[in-house]
Amino acid sequence: MTALTPNRIIFNTAKKVYEGELSKSEGINMLVGELNINKGSAQMIIVQIFPKLLDGEQFTRTLSVDLFNSFLKFILEDYGEDRLRNSLSALKMHIDYIKEKGDAKITLRKIYQGYLDSLKTGGTSSLQDEIEQSEIVNQLKDKTKNELASELENSENDTSEKVTINHKSYKRNNKIIALIKILRNFECQICGKYILKKDGLKYVEAAHIIPKHKQGNEHPKNILLLCPNHHKEFDLGNREVINHTEKEIEFKLNGVRYLISLEI
Ligand SMILES: [Zn+2]
């Protein structure tokens, strides 16, 4: 058997504490005793950084870039892509936090971007876009349906890449998708389902009928809101479009026929 690297031992110890196999003080003592890590750092890893990374929450203390890199690799290996997504969202908040403090760690941002790029995005939005869309939803949630519909129309006619909402700049495409999600109630347009997130917001995905790489754009007539299952079926299943207009789309997906309104 090959010996574990120090980074793997740190990770495994923090993991045992996270999963309740070791108490916090047992974990901290193991790191201090076996790897000669100072107690403050051991505590910071076990109590703050490891659990917050896995749970997707902001942390303020920082690790060496090398240790972060190993942690992300091991999270992907041991827990899979969903947990890596959580960790990247925690890391993004952390990077923003240290950037705000005037201490941007360029290399840390690089490894964040590298892992973000490595995630398969299901053909629509990257994690970054998802985060941006949720922020926009939050900014717009108090507007009336009429106000939202006219915002959507304005955004469609706009040709700029970026838009500003409450002094913050966003991709215009993300604003359009956020508006479509609100106006269509965040429901899968095939089965009516959505995922309820722990923050109380609903999660649904936006599928491009004509894919982006074939010049499909963000416009209500080209966007279907789908739950993750139907999104994958739409992208990977046997799809046959029978009719597609401004107002509706009729298609067969794995032999089942659907007629779905694309109006707002
Ligand atoms: Zn569905």
Side-chain angles (χ1 to χ4, degrees), residues 188 190-191 227 230:
C188 173
I190 288 182
C191 69
C227 69
H230 279 126

Side-chain angles (χ1 to χ4, degrees), residues 1-9 12 35:
M1 225 178 87
T2 49
L4 296 175
T5 61
N7 285 2
R8 196 30 141 160
I9 296 170
N12 286 356
L35 294 174

Side-chain angles (χ1 to χ4, degrees), residues 187-194 225-231:
E187 286 170 4
C188 173
Q189 291 182 266
I190 288 182
C191 69
K193 289 188 179 159
Y194 54 82
L225 299 186
L226 296 175
C227 69
N229 267 355
H230 279 126
H231 192 176

Side-chain angles (χ1 to χ4, degrees), residues 38-253:
N38 80 56
K39 199 169 177 181
S41 304
Q43 208 160 4
M44 169 181 100
I45 293 167
I46 284 186
V47 178
Q48 198 197 125
I49 297 180
F50 187 92
K52 294 204 169 191
L53 255 186
L54 277 188
D55 294 341
E57 291 166 10
Q58 190 190 317
F59 50 90
T60 52
R61 304 289 300 276
T62 202
L63 297 175
S64 74
V65 169
D66 174 57
L67 196 50
F68 267 126
N69 197 18
S70 297
F71 270 27
L72 293 173
K73 178 169 173 274
F74 300 147
I75 287 170
L76 181 60
E77 284 171 5
D78 292 12
Y79 290 98
E81 285 195 352
D82 285 341
R83 275 307 180 74
L84 178 61
R85 274 177 210 281
N86 268 359
S87 309
L88 290 182
S89 127
L91 187 56
K92 174 71 168 58
M93 289 188 268
H94 178 67
I95 291 169
D96 288 346
Y97 170 84
I98 51 182
K99 194 175 159 201
E100 223 163 78
K101 287 179 60 188
D103 182 26
K105 299 221 167 173
I106 304 302
T107 41
L108 190 54
R109 179 170 285 282
K110 257 190 201 156
I111 68 159
Y112 161 75
Q113 195 59 47
Y115 278 93
L116 193 63
D117 292 345
S118 78
L119 280 173
K120 295 173 196 76
T121 58
T124 50
S125 322
S126 67
L127 178 70
Q128 192 65 57
D129 287 326
E130 289 288 349
I131 293 170
E132 204 167 274
Q133 287 162 24
S134 310
E135 268 187 52
I136 298 171
V137 166
N138 257 322
Q139 306 259 30
L140 299 176
K141 65 176 190 283
D142 297 326
K143 298 203 179 230
T144 66
K145 293 256 161 181
N146 280 342
E147 286 171 332
L148 293 166
S150 67
E151 288 247 7
L152 178 59
E153 220 179 293
N154 293 340
S155 307
E156 282 169 40
N157 295 329
D158 193 352
T159 50
S160 41
E161 185 97 343
K162 296 268 185 179
V163 291
T164 304
I165 307 170
N166 294 340
H167 312 292
K168 210 173 157 189
S169 164
Y170 297 101
K171 282 191 208 162
R172 187 174 58 92
N173 288 346
N174 282 335
K175 183 181 177 190
I176 292 177
I177 288 182
L179 284 162
I180 295 174
K181 284 181 178 177
I182 306 173
L183 287 161
R184 291 186 184 157
N185 283 326
F186 294 84
E187 286 170 4
C188 173
Q189 291 182 266
I190 288 182
C191 69
K193 289 188 179 159
Y194 54 82
I195 289 172
L196 188 60
K197 297 191 291 178
K198 66 180 172 200
D199 61 9
L201 294 174
K202 294 175 181 176
Y203 173 83
V204 73
E205 297 179 352
H208 289 72
I209 298 170
I210 300 167
K212 276 181 95 84
H213 67 265
K214 290 186 179 158
Q215 276 67 54
N217 60 2
E218 283 71 19
H219 184 285
K221 73 165 188 250
N222 194 45
I223 296 290
L224 270 183
L225 299 186
L226 296 175
C227 69
N229 267 355
H230 279 126
H231 192 176
K232 277 281 178 255
E233 189 181 12
F234 189 77
D235 286 344
L236 305 176
N238 181 19
R239 186 193 340 157
E240 191 189 322
V241 176
I242 300 162
N243 189 28
H244 182 192
T245 67
E246 290 272 323
K247 294 194 164 150
E248 60 187 25
I249 180 168
E250 186 183 358
F251 59 94
K252 265 189 175 177
L253 188 54

